[in-house]
């Protein structure tokens, strides 16, 4: 898979996850993909939430890594 195909797949998965975060007042934005790392921005109710790391690592990261072998990590950028 080339980078464009990987990014399209990442974006599609993030779009599937957005409604779950929106229902709790959170915002999830795709910011980029480089060297196996997906960069996202979690905002809204996610900012300052005690479950941010859990949502990021056990939710978003696991989903992306399970679906796309090229994804090695997901990082939140602010």
């Amino acid at each position: 898979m080339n980078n464009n195909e990987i990014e399209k797949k990442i974006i599609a998965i993030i779009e599937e996850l957005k409604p779950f975060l929106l229902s709790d007042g959170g915002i999830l934005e795709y910011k980029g993909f480089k060297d196996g790392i997906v960069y996202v921005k979690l905002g809204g109710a996610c900012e300052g939430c005690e479950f941010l790391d859990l949502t990021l690592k056990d939710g978003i990261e696991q989903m992306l890594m399970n679906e796309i072998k090229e994804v090695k990590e997901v990082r939140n950028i602010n």
Side-chain angles (χ1 to χ4, degrees):
M1 230 184 324
N2 68 36
N3 251 17
N4 284 343
E5 292 170 327
I6 294 167
E7 281 196 293
K8 283 180 185 174
K9 198 163 184 182
I10 290 168
I11 292 167
I13 292 169
I14 286 175
E15 289 301 316
E16 288 178 31
L17 295 173
K18 276 184 179 182
F20 296 103
L21 289 159
L22 280 171
S23 68
D24 286 332
I27 298 169
L28 173 61
E29 294 177 49
Y30 172 74
K31 292 297 185 180
F33 175 71
K34 185 176 180 188
D35 300 325
I37 301 170
V38 176
Y39 296 93
V40 298
K41 181 176 181 183
L42 288 161
C46 291
E47 290 182 73
C49 175
E50 63 185 272
F51 298 110
L52 184 128
D53 289 336
L54 186 67
T55 299
L56 184 68
K57 295 296 179 181
D58 292 346
I60 300 165
E61 184 176 86
Q62 285 304 309
M63 174 75 87
L64 288 168
M65 287 173 61
N66 287 342
E67 296 293 322
I68 307 166
K69 65 178 174 60
E70 291 85 356
V71 173
K72 305 297 179 217
E73 183 183 354
V74 176
R75 291 186 190 165
N76 182 38
I77 58 173
N78 288 336

